[in-house]
Amino acid sequence: MQTPRTTRMKDTSMKTSIRQQRLNAVVAALAIGATAGAWAADETTKERDPREFTYLQLAGGAAMATSAPVNVGLGASVQLHGRASYDRGTLWGATLGYQFLREEDEQDKEKRLAAVSRGETPKEAQPMRAELEFWNASVTRNTIQVAAETVHPNDKVKPRALFLNVAIPIGESEEFFQPEDPKRLPEPLWRTWLGAGVGPANLSYPSASALSGCNCLRQASGSGLAYQLKLQFERQVSENTYLFTQIGRVWLPGVSTTQGTQTTDYSRWGMNNLAVGVRWAFRD
């Protein structure tokens, strides 16, 4: 049989246990909060690095297309080989990109530690860029020569592509741009970037059958993979604005069409380009 004293002792023990559980819960919550706060602070610190940013880029310029093979099939294994020549045209592009700092590998770490041990300033981490670029061009197809026949359509071929690009810096000036923000380090006034990209492209060739005696240069359209290489010379002109000049080359897919026994094949061809543009950086 329990006495009142025993009952009071049990009640006191239960209250103590409940208080201890509550205290443990508060400590655990505080620990979780501190961990989350430290993680958030670390992430905030990473996000605030001004050398990493999202940017919008617009460019326009001249497209200088080269000639490309054209093959016409008349059926019964009859093949006519020729070439299409293109005149200079125009191009423009819009790019959404992100600049980030390349992670150090073991060799980079060794070089940095060696520089510190010699009392030198270690080289800063190098930036890289990843881009999604919409590219559009328009060139004049002035001559098509197939076998002994030459026609002059003087029409427009308008390729379009969506490129996924990667760019790395390959040179920079010793002259620096000093940002107004005291938290930002000086940045090279000039940088040279080498970029490469790949992505789907679509293009269409107007019909030139009415101009040809064989009635065989039919309209053709299609899609395929396009590739590009580009070299950019960039200058920073303000806190978040960059101007650049670009030279490059784009390789476009070939397309073909078939009507009855006739086929028209436009082979893969290349297009040189020269462009100027502006880039706006959006920093946190």
Side-chain angles (χ1 to χ4, degrees):
M1 180 176 180
Q2 294 182 347
T3 63
R5 182 179 179 182
T6 303
T7 302
R8 285 195 300 272
M9 291 178 63
K10 288 184 175 181
D11 291 342
T12 301
S13 177
M14 291 180 61
K15 291 178 180 179
T16 301
S17 177
I18 292 174
R19 283 198 297 269
Q20 185 63 39
Q21 291 177 2
R22 290 176 177 173
L23 180 60
N24 291 340
V26 171
V27 171
L30 290 175
I32 294 174
T35 303
W39 177 83
D42 182 63
E43 289 299 308
T44 301
T45 301
K46 291 181 180 178
E47 292 177 356
R48 289 178 179 174
D49 191 323
R51 294 172 296 177
E52 297 187 332
F53 53 83
T54 302
Y55 59 87
L56 175 65
Q57 171 183 301
L58 299 178
M64 295 159 281
T66 56
S67 63
V70 178
N71 297 315
V72 174
L74 300 180
S77 300
V78 178
Q79 291 287 324
L80 303 179
H81 303 288
R83 297 191 71 82
S85 298
Y86 302 88
D87 203 354
R88 185 175 63 185
T90 59
L91 66 87
W92 65 270
T95 303
L96 182 64
Y98 181 67
Q99 178 172 302
F100 58 96
L101 299 179
R102 183 172 63 86
E103 294 185 3
E104 288 184 322
D105 55 24
E106 291 301 322
Q107 186 176 3
D108 293 332
K109 290 179 181 179
E110 290 177 1
K111 290 181 179 179
R112 178 168 55 82
L113 292 175
V116 172
S117 65
R118 293 192 300 267
E120 301 174 355
T121 302
K123 189 176 182 180
E124 294 290 337
Q126 289 297 301
M128 294 183 64
R129 288 174 177 170
E131 300 177 337
L132 185 64
E133 176 186 6
F134 175 73
W135 180 89
N136 180 88
S138 175
V139 295
T140 300
R141 184 177 59 166
N142 50 24
T143 303
I144 304 176
Q145 182 177 3
V146 177
E149 185 172 18
T150 300
V151 298
H152 302 278
N154 291 318
D155 49 17
K156 296 290 184 180
V157 178
K158 299 179 179 180
R160 295 176 177 84
L162 186 65
F163 287 112
L164 181 61
N165 301 324
V166 173
I168 58 173
I170 60 173
E172 60 186 38
S173 68
E174 296 182 356
E175 186 179 1
F176 288 89
F177 176 86
Q178 180 62 59
E180 295 179 3
D181 186 350
K183 297 179 181 179
R184 289 174 54 182
L185 297 173
E187 301 174 11
L189 185 63
W190 291 87
R191 266 204 174 108
T192 303
W193 294 82
L194 178 63
V198 61
N202 177 268
L203 65 163
S204 178
Y205 296 86
S207 174
S209 293
L211 302 176
S212 62
C214 63
N215 193 32
C216 55
L217 298 174
R218 302 187 181 280
Q219 187 272 344
S221 61
S223 301
L225 280 180
Y227 308 89
Q228 76 163 332
L229 283 175
K230 57 182 179 179
L231 189 66
Q232 288 185 347
F233 305 94
E234 173 188 270
R235 188 186 193 280
Q236 186 166 357
V237 295
S238 70
E239 293 286 295
N240 297 305
T241 305
Y242 304 78
L243 298 179
F244 65 89
T245 300
Q246 172 182 303
I247 57 175
R249 184 172 176 84
V250 173
W251 289 268
L252 296 164
V255 299
S256 62
T257 184
T258 301
Q259 184 171 352
T261 60
Q262 291 187 353
T263 61
T264 304
D265 296 314
Y266 293 92
S267 299
R268 176 178 291 275
W269 55 296
M271 183 182 297
N272 299 322
N273 61 78
L274 175 64
V276 294
V278 59
R279 179 182 296 110
W280 295 280
F282 300 97
R283 294 180 169 90
D284 294 336

